[in-house]
């Protein structure tokens, strides 16, 4: 069977597809008798199948031409699979320990075949809801962010290489527009897709829509998101895009990847850890008040930024005389000037991180797609009690981000606003 035009895979059709694709059939030893197939796409956008046989396994992900959680009334290009495969391969080359390997990509069918992250891997967000500590999380995620962001930036590359890849990823404009809408626009106006924990947060959502300073600041972040092609960012690096065990951290789902501001990835991850922190009181019970766990989350927030800073600047120091064209060695040739430039760059990146992280938090509370951390708190008034301080912190961070000089100050602010 030849697959010359797009159609949505069901289980029966998937088996035919695997048979016709050697890169996939070889992975399961061409054994179709004991094949187990399970559809697990609990995300907002795609179909995801786990394929397991005694000889091997893989995951099949297919992009469909609309937003799955909303339906055909919200169309979305299936070309996103092409950019996801591209980003998985590029990020996988730069950080192979933290990105699953791609075995197969089919642009016509919008299908990616990749490594199956077998149990006990679970989605990080679910682990945070369950109160599980991941001792290596900050170590691994900081490693992934430092390598993927540094090596795809002008700190390492020539402008010729950079522009070539920027042009390629400009094709992912439709998913960027989706982000522009749900992160930087909808929460600040009346929109059909917005929702909040009503009636408890109705007034809070209204306050977001009436806050002129907030709107001024979010416009600046939107402009950076749209105009600043700083590095190849994942584009959706929240705790639902990371799979973990106590020993392993794997970043998945980079279909929103594009050349954008580095702080958008770092902020997405840290912002979602902050949401997880504020959700903990809603998951506490008599057996576990979650206090120790909340301290672990705060430590992880602190370590994620501190380790990222250390690793990113170490890569920069190591390659400062290389071919990167942001700061030419012929000009930035004194150690004190190198340090000055680096400090300024990292401070700006820190403030971007706080701004984007805050914007991501706000949209998860009063915008379209909410997070399971809060949604799984069934008592609505209790949920609102967890969401309100998170929203207040996010508004403050977005408006006052330039006043923060260190991650410790941010953690103190989180502790004070509970």
């Amino acid at each position: 069977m030849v697959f010359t035009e797009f159609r949505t895979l069901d289980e029966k059709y998937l088996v035919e597809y695997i048979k016709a694709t050697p890169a996939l059939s070889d992975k399961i030893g061409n054994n179709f008798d004991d094949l187990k197939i399970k559809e697990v796409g609990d995300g907002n956008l795609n179909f995801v199948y786990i394929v397991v046989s005694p000889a091997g396994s893989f995951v099949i992900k297919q992009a469909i031409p609309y937003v799955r959680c909303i339906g055909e009334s919200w169309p979305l290009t299936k070309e996103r699979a092409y950019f996801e495969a591209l980003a998985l391969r590029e990020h996988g080359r730069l950080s192979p320990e933290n990105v699953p390997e791609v075995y197969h990509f089919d642009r016509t069918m919008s299908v990616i075949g990749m490594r199956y992250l077998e149990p006990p891997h679970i989605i990080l967000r679910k682990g945070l809801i369950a109160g599980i500590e991941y001792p290596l999380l900050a170590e691994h995620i900081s490693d992934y962010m430092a390598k993927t962001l540094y090596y795809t930036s002008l700190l390492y590359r020539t402008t010729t290489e950079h522009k070539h890849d920027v042009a390629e990823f400009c094709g992912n404009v439709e998913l960027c527009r989706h982000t522009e809408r749900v992160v930087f626009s909808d929460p600040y106006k009346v929109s059909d897709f917005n929702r909040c924990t009503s009636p408890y947060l109705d007034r809070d959502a209204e306050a977001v829509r009436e806050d002129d300073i907030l709107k001024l600041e979010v416009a600046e972040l939107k402009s950076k998101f749209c105009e600043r092609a700083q590095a190849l960012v994942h584009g959706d690096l929240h705790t639902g895009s990371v799979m973990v065990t106590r020993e392993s951290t794997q970043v998945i789902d980079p279909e929103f990847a594009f050349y954008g501001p580095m702080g958008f990835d770092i902020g997405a991850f840290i912002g979602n850890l902050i949401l997880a922190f504020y959700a903990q009181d809603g998951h506490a019970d008599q057996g576990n008040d979650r206090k120790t766990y909340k301290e672990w989350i705060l430590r992880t927030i602190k370590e994620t930024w501190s380790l990222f800073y250390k690793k990113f600047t170490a890569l920069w120091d190591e390659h400062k005389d290389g071919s990167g064209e942001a700061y030419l060695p012929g000009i930035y040739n004194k150690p004190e000037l190198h340090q000055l430039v680096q400090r300024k760059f990292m401070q700006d990146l820190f403030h971007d991180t706080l701004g984007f992280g805050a914007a991501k938090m706000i949209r998860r509370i009063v915008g379209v797609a909410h997070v399971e951390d809060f949604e799984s708190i069934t008592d609505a008034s209790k949920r609102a009690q967890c969401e309100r301080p998170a929203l207040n912190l996010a508004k403050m961070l977005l408006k006052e981000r330039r006043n923060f000089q260190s991650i410790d100050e941010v953690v103190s602010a989180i502790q004070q606003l509970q």
Side-chain angles (χ1 to χ4, degrees), residues 181-216 218 362-363 365-368 370 391-392 395 398-399:
R181 175 179 174 176
V182 300
V183 177
F184 302 108
S185 302
D186 281 1
Y188 305 93
K189 64 188 182 73
V190 174
S191 159
D192 293 344
F193 293 109
N194 284 349
R195 58 188 185 82
C196 67
T197 303
S198 196
Y200 306 99
L201 292 188
D202 288 354
R203 183 68 201 95
D204 303 73
E206 199 181 326
V208 169
R209 297 194 297 269
E210 290 169 356
D211 190 327
D212 290 352
I213 306 299
L214 199 61
K215 288 178 176 180
L216 199 66
V218 93
I362 291 168
R363 79 86 157 205
I365 298 169
V366 298
V368 54
H370 287 213
L391 183 60
N392 289 336
K395 285 174 9 181
L398 209 152
K399 291 189 279 194

Side-chain angles (χ1 to χ4, degrees), residues 21-194:
T21 312
L24 298 175
S25 52
D26 290 355
K27 285 279 170 209
I28 51 167
N30 286 295
N31 177 352
F32 290 89
D33 297 332
D34 305 309
L35 207 57
K36 291 190 174 63
I37 296 177
K38 187 180 176 195
E39 209 279 310
V40 293
D42 62 351
N44 296 325
L45 302 178
N46 309 290
F47 283 98
V48 180
Y49 294 95
I50 294 171
V51 180
V52 179
S53 85
S57 61
F58 52 82
V59 163
I60 289 288
K61 182 171 179 179
Q62 185 181 38
I64 51 174
Y66 54 85
V67 177
R68 184 178 174 182
C69 67
I70 288 174
E72 294 183 25
S73 65
W74 192 327
L76 195 63
T77 175
K78 56 185 179 28
E79 265 298 89
R80 63 187 185 270
Y82 169 72
F83 295 103
E84 175 165 7
L86 217 53
L88 279 168
R89 284 181 167 146
E90 179 64 0
H91 284 170
R93 186 178 68 77
L94 298 171
S95 185
E97 310 79 17
N98 303 114
V99 180
E101 187 186 346
V102 174
Y103 303 141
H104 166 74
F105 174 63
D106 176 343
R107 197 165 184 175
T108 304
M109 288 285 289
S110 302
V111 162
I112 303 173
M114 67 185 107
R115 177 189 162 196
Y116 168 44
L117 299 168
E118 60 292 323
H121 279 97
I122 60 167
I123 295 285
L124 172 57
R125 193 182 301 285
K126 292 186 185 296
L128 294 167
I129 292 167
I132 302 167
E133 289 187 19
Y134 296 100
L136 298 174
L137 177 62
E139 183 68 58
H140 289 164
I141 205 76
S142 60
D143 220 48
Y144 164 84
M145 293 191 302
K147 287 172 178 165
T148 57
L149 297 175
Y150 175 78
Y151 285 118
T152 60
S153 78
L154 287 173
L155 295 172
Y156 181 74
R157 308 169 83 202
T158 67
T159 52
T160 311
E161 295 165 326
H162 191 71
K163 283 274 196 291
H164 173 272
D165 288 354
V166 170
E168 174 85 276
F169 274 92
C170 278
N172 208 13
V173 56
E174 203 175 311
L175 266 75
C176 288
R177 285 182 63 79
H178 179 81
T179 303
E180 288 159 31
R181 175 179 174 176
V182 300
V183 177
F184 302 108
S185 302
D186 281 1
Y188 305 93
K189 64 188 182 73
V190 174
S191 159
D192 293 344
F193 293 109
N194 284 349

Side-chain angles (χ1 to χ4, degrees), residues 365-417:
I365 298 169
V366 298
V368 54
H370 287 213
V371 288
E372 199 184 333
D373 309 64
F374 291 133
E375 295 296 286
S376 55
I377 301 166
T378 47
D379 177 335
S381 83
K382 186 189 260 189
R383 186 189 323 135
Q385 280 169 5
C386 296
E387 288 174 319
R388 183 171 289 115
L391 183 60
N392 289 336
L393 177 94
K395 285 174 9 181
M396 183 273 287
L397 273 185
L398 209 152
K399 291 189 279 194
E400 298 174 28
R401 63 190 183 279
R402 295 173 201 80
N403 300 340
F404 288 87
Q405 300 308 313
S406 72
I407 194 70
D408 289 356
E409 292 173 15
V410 176
V411 168
S412 297
I414 297 169
Q415 287 169 312
Q416 281 160 17
L417 251 175

